[in-house]
Amino acid sequence: MRKYAFSARFRRALVAACAASVLFGLSVAFAAEKPVTTPRPTAVPSLYDTLPAPCDVLVVLAHPGDETLFFPGLLGTLAGGRGLDVRVLYLSCASEELRAFAEETLAASGVTNPPEFWNLGGIYYETRQHAANNCGGVDKLIRNMTDLIRYYRPKYVVTHDPEGEYGHGLHVLASEIVTRACANSHSPKKLANSVKTYGIHAPEYIYYHTAEPEGAVVLDLNEHLTETTLRDANAARYDVLRPLLPIGIDITRDAYTQPLFRAEAAPGSSGTDAGLFSENDPSVPRTEYRAPEVVEGDYCGVFSETESAAARPEEGFWEYRSPNLAVTVEHREFKTDEGQDVAYNVAHIFTQNEDAFVPGIRETKAHEYPWFMARRYKAVLAITGDNMTVAEGKYKGIIIRDGEVFNDRAGADTLVMGADGSLRILPAGEQTAEQLLAEGVRNTFSFGPTLIANGRIQHEQLHTSKVQRKNPRVAIGMVEPGHLVVIQVDGRQRGYSLGVTLEMLAAMFWAEGCTEAYNLDGGRSAALVFMGEHINRHAGNSADIQRALPDALMWGRSDLVPGPYEPVYNIGNGPRKEPYLEKEPAVK
């Protein structure tokens, strides 16, 4: 047997490595026994665990005692009075006595959820910078707060005044990290790992405690509990709190203890919610809903008495309106956390006529390019389907087109198109084609996987799918019946767009407000055609050229769409300087 000789240097390095390994193991063992000193949300054991039911209100306070000093009556009114699901986070906990005080106060107020504590050190900081210097970094706090908001999914967030009530540094910092975390939490582009674990979420409103009555929303302390009862209860809690405080704080300054709040619509919120404090309070600001980075303009869901179409490709915007159909398409680009480029197109489709949807099917046995099929049907909008005739039927579910069954298996989930402009997703094997036809279903699609079902991102399916890597994509989602969303992502083009994973794609639909979303055929098949012209583009080389397809999903019919043998400038491989002409077959 051959013997190996090692140099003295190598032996010393080997011994050092082994020693380091042992020390590392010991350090981990000791660290496991130490209390947590860095802020973090409650851990989720795996991506597949069910997240907690969304709470109504998340209250973020600097430290125990603030609920009594600056927010008297808030928790008792919301939790004990209205019965709302309230969660409370304290950034700092200076002592076990204050922790116990906070837990008792919350329980007495009717808050059934245990409070969370981040150990950020001392209870008082003179300035925001002083607080930030002692809290392990503001960016880290914002990341953890973003996780927390995505995890608990609150409808409303309540926190301190941006000026820190009387200038308290930790109060100022609390307001800052809540504001910046809410700006992150609704965006699929922010903190990709967090998106994969928790999904994205946009609270409706952020409420900042304020001392300025002008423009403030007033918490009605008499709605469920009398003001006298709340004042007496708060005074009793204050008597318990006073000896626990390391510094003297005077709560007789009425401006700091009044139930006044300034409301702001959170980034990405619908802007249609009535607000936390009063269903008809005119002081609650209203904002028109805009999905992230939407081109400004009042067009979403607006039908027109006359037919019109507009294309502004230099602005990345296209739209169509008619009495029964409104379609907008926007081109967007961003960089991932890793600095990779992503370019995609988002279409919002609004219908109020069951004839708005058209299942596109090839005319002969030969597949057709998407632009050609769209022009043949005179379709306003067309996207890739599920490759209905591909010889992989065993991997698919039920495929029905215009009442004709092409596949009836249980290999995948099935997307059912409703006549009312709705989508629903059937788990594999739940129904047969015969049953669906008996219900009056005329169109189903099966490619998958399911991205969002019943308002929940389907993490397990996405992480086990064989097509989960970054790729060009086409998928469809539903905000509500009559309001559909299509997202088409370009890919495999370095310097322009590499594509997205299924997790990223699901997050993009969530950001658009979809409760259902389903992945369709992508890769070289990915296509989005508006008024007979491709909006998307492939590289156009031998490895990535637009593929001819057997089917498509289409909306609308319009004589404004050119015919299949008229000039076309984008056949899916990027715009051309000279138009492409399809040779019309000779008449026999």
Side-chain angles (χ1 to χ4, degrees):
M1 182 174 65
R2 183 178 180 180
K3 295 182 178 181
Y4 293 89
F6 299 106
S7 67
R9 179 181 296 177
F10 180 84
R11 290 196 299 271
R12 286 195 298 271
L14 182 62
V15 171
C18 292
S21 177
V22 172
L23 290 173
F24 176 76
L26 290 174
S27 68
V28 170
F30 284 118
E33 298 178 1
K34 294 181 179 179
V36 175
T37 58
T38 55
R40 60 178 177 82
T42 303
V44 179
S46 78
L47 296 178
Y48 315 131
D49 286 358
T50 302
L51 296 178
C55 67
D56 296 308
V57 187
L58 172 64
V59 181
V60 180
L61 303 177
H63 47 70
D66 283 341
E67 74 294 315
T68 301
L69 294 171
F70 303 106
F71 295 81
L74 173 71
L75 301 177
T77 298
L78 298 182
R82 298 187 189 177
L84 298 180
D85 186 1
V86 178
R87 292 188 177 271
V88 181
L89 165 69
Y90 296 99
L91 297 185
S92 173
C93 184
S95 68
E96 288 300 322
E97 291 82 1
L98 278 172
R99 182 191 294 262
F101 171 85
E103 292 172 344
E104 292 173 7
T105 302
L106 266 58
S109 300
V111 177
T112 58
N113 299 307
E116 292 206 30
F117 299 93
W118 289 0
N119 187 10
L120 298 189
I123 195 172
Y124 180 76
Y125 296 101
E126 291 184 358
T127 66
R128 177 262 183 203
Q129 192 59 47
H130 184 202
N133 292 342
N134 289 275
C135 292
V138 176
D139 289 342
K140 184 176 182 179
L141 296 180
I142 294 169
R143 289 196 299 271
N144 285 312
M145 186 64 69
T146 302
D147 282 351
L148 195 78
I149 292 171
R150 286 171 171 171
Y151 182 72
Y152 284 127
R153 318 190 74 75
K155 194 172 185 180
Y156 311 105
V157 180
V158 181
T159 191
H160 292 281
D161 183 86
E163 301 299 323
E165 277 79 25
Y166 58 97
H168 190 313
L170 193 55
H171 292 198
V172 174
L173 189 62
S175 181
E176 177 184 340
I177 65 174
V178 165
T179 301
R180 294 175 63 181
C182 285
N184 285 347
S185 63
H186 79 287
S187 173
K189 307 173 189 176
K190 301 292 186 179
L191 307 176
N193 289 334
S194 174
V195 172
K196 292 178 183 177
T197 305
Y198 306 108
I200 61 174
H201 176 69
E204 289 291 339
Y205 289 103
I206 309 171
Y207 288 90
Y208 301 98
H209 182 229
T210 181
E212 301 296 331
E214 184 177 355
V217 181
V218 181
L219 171 62
D220 184 3
L221 298 181
N222 298 306
E223 182 178 1
H224 294 283
L225 303 171
T226 67
E227 185 177 1
T228 302
T229 301
L230 285 173
R231 185 172 58 247
D232 292 345
N234 190 67
R237 294 307 299 163
Y238 176 64
D239 288 340
V240 178
L241 174 65
R242 189 195 304 269
L244 302 178
L245 296 175
I247 59 175
I249 298 179
D250 181 9
I251 66 166
T252 62
R253 295 171 292 184
D254 291 341
Y256 298 139
T257 60
Q258 292 300 309
L260 304 177
F261 295 87
R262 178 170 59 82
E264 287 188 2
S269 69
S270 67
T272 60
D273 189 87
L276 176 59
F277 295 132
S278 172
E279 292 185 359
N280 300 303
D281 194 328
S283 63
V284 176
R286 298 289 185 264
T287 57
E288 183 180 0
Y289 171 70
R290 293 292 184 200
E293 299 182 10
V294 170
V295 177
E296 292 297 329
D298 181 17
Y299 54 80
C300 289
V302 178
F303 302 101
S304 172
E305 294 182 0
T306 59
E307 184 184 36
S308 65
R312 300 197 297 274
E314 68 283 355
E315 299 177 18
F317 176 72
W318 300 259
E319 72 172 336
Y320 172 88
R321 300 191 199 190
S322 73
N324 294 307
L325 177 66
V327 176
T328 65
V329 184
E330 299 168 43
H331 181 79
R332 306 177 189 171
E333 298 182 7
F334 69 93
K335 286 185 179 291
T336 65
D337 290 349
E338 298 81 18
Q340 296 177 342
D341 296 296
V342 176
Y344 66 108
N345 299 293
V346 179
H348 280 259
I349 306 164
F350 297 84
T351 64
Q352 55 182 9
N353 186 311
E354 63 181 34
D355 295 329
F357 175 74
V358 180
I361 304 175
R362 64 188 183 184
E363 191 172 26
T364 66
K365 290 185 178 181
H367 291 185
E368 298 176 350
Y369 287 105
W371 66 269
F372 186 91
M373 187 182 298
R375 289 177 170 219
R376 184 167 59 80
Y377 275 88
K378 292 283 189 177
V380 171
L381 185 74
I383 63 170
T384 312
D386 58 5
N387 210 342
M388 66 178 190
T389 58
V390 72
E392 293 182 345
K394 63 181 180 180
Y395 299 115
K396 296 187 176 183
I398 301 169
I399 298 177
I400 302 174
R401 292 297 187 280
D402 205 15
E404 181 180 353
V405 178
F406 288 82
N407 199 64
D408 187 9
R409 303 191 189 186
D413 292 349
T414 295
L415 177 71
V416 178
M417 304 286 293
D420 60 347
S422 65
L423 302 180
R424 62 186 173 103
I425 300 171
L426 295 177
E430 187 170 284
Q431 287 187 265
T432 65
E434 183 179 1
Q435 291 172 323
L436 291 177
L437 290 173
E439 294 176 5
V441 173
R442 297 190 58 78
N443 293 287
T444 68
F445 297 80
S446 185
F447 193 89
T450 298
L451 303 174
I452 302 174
N454 298 316
R456 304 301 295 269
I457 293 179
Q458 303 299 294
H459 292 292
E460 187 166 7
Q461 284 200 47
L462 304 186
H463 280 270
T464 57
S465 171
K466 63 181 180 179
V467 293
Q468 60 181 292
R469 294 184 299 175
K470 289 183 178 179
N471 272 304
R473 304 284 185 187
V474 173
I476 186 171
M478 180 185 75
V479 177
E480 59 185 357
H483 181 185
L484 303 181
V485 176
V486 165
I487 295 179
Q488 174 275 318
V489 185
D490 288 332
R492 301 174 185 172
Q493 300 171 70
R494 190 170 299 278
Y496 168 63
S497 182
L498 291 182
V500 296
T501 64
L502 290 172
E503 280 280 357
M504 294 172 67
L505 187 63
M508 292 159 76
F509 275 97
W510 198 311
E512 300 298 323
C514 293
T515 60
E516 311 288 327
Y518 189 82
N519 183 55
L520 296 167
D521 193 7
R524 282 180 55 199
S525 301
L528 189 151
V529 182
F530 177 81
M531 304 300 287
E533 292 278 349
H534 275 263
I535 300 301
N536 68 299
R537 80 182 203 201
H538 291 272
N541 54 37
S542 59
D544 186 31
I545 190 170
Q546 179 65 62
R547 176 183 285 144
L549 304 172
D551 71 312
L553 283 72
M554 299 178 175
W555 288 268
R557 293 180 185 271
S558 173
D559 289 334
L560 298 177
V561 178
Y565 301 105
E566 296 184 52
V568 56
Y569 284 86
N570 188 350
I571 60 174
N573 300 317
R576 302 162 58 99
K577 292 182 180 179
E578 298 296 330
Y580 176 86
L581 290 172
E582 182 80 357
K583 184 177 180 181
E584 190 168 0
V587 178
K588 294 184 178 180

